Amino acid sequence: GLGGFMPTVRLPPALPRKTVANPTPQANSQENPPNPTPPQDDAAAKQTKQVQGIIQYLFDKAEHGSSFETYSEWAFDNLPPPLVNDILAQPDPVAVLMGLAPQIASQKQWFTQLIDDLRQLVNSANAAGNPNGSDVSRQPTGVNRNANPQREGGGADYASDDDRIGSDG
């Protein structure tokens, strides 16, 4: 199964995801409630769909012989940094992607190179002291992150991102 494939990206860290002692098991109840999934599962499902869409897009490019460097840069520029970090934090990112979109197996080499290239982009961004990918360079007005704590759901996100990576069970 997919296990906990990146469910943490949008969740506040305070929410315990795996509650063992759950007095009302929603999944097993016989009558179908109108909303059987709690909101965070819904977000995880949405995210999985989003990731599958991204993989399919990249797969199409791979099939047409596009350069993986082009699309590692595209992914780096267009995907949310926590999502990129989560993918790169997997022991075998391409296997995870193939789990979500089995059709990419025929382009496994292309995806492997893309992930490697993406990792280098992220590493050099981190080395340059820019943990948020290329966000800052795309803000021509020179906005200081700290000046607007509301951006991207609050300033606390920057501090907690590193703590959450790879801590999923």
Side-chain angles (χ1 to χ4, degrees):
L2 298 178
F5 181 68
M6 305 190 287
T8 55
V9 171
R10 291 276 175 230
L11 296 187
L15 277 183
R17 285 197 318 284
K18 301 185 176 97
T19 351
V20 182
N22 189 354
T24 53
Q26 286 138 323
N28 302 335
S29 62
Q30 286 311 312
E31 71 276 308
N32 287 330
N35 185 8
T37 37
Q40 65 258 43
D41 283 4
D42 202 42
K46 269 204 189 75
Q47 168 141 346
T48 301
K49 269 207 169 51
Q50 181 197 6
V51 172
Q52 285 171 319
I54 294 163
I55 298 169
Q56 181 58 54
Y57 171 78
L58 293 171
F59 178 67
D60 289 343
K61 301 303 175 191
E63 292 276 273
H64 288 102
S66 299
S67 146
F68 65 86
E69 286 106 338
T70 305
Y71 289 96
S72 59
E73 285 173 27
W74 174 87
F76 182 73
D77 285 340
N78 291 284
L79 306 184
L83 176 65
V84 172
N85 288 332
D86 268 352
I87 292 173
L88 295 179
Q90 305 297 322
D92 187 347
V94 178
V96 174
L97 299 181
M98 281 167 56
L100 286 169
Q103 73 272 22
I104 72 169
S106 63
Q107 291 291 343
K108 184 177 181 192
Q109 184 58 40
W110 191 90
F111 276 89
T112 304
Q113 293 173 307
L114 179 130
I115 295 282
D116 289 346
D117 209 51
L118 184 57
R119 183 175 275 121
Q120 285 169 8
L121 287 171
V122 170
N123 287 345
S124 24
N126 290 346
N130 173 8
N132 220 35
S134 54
D135 260 22
V136 177
S137 62
R138 281 184 292 153
Q139 303 258 340
T141 48
V143 175
N144 183 336
R145 279 208 281 254
N146 303 325
N148 180 6
Q150 294 313 311
R151 184 165 156 260
E152 301 228 0
D157 281 354
Y158 296 106
S160 56
D161 270 349
D162 285 341
D163 300 337
R164 281 180 299 184
I165 292 174
S167 61
D168 191 11

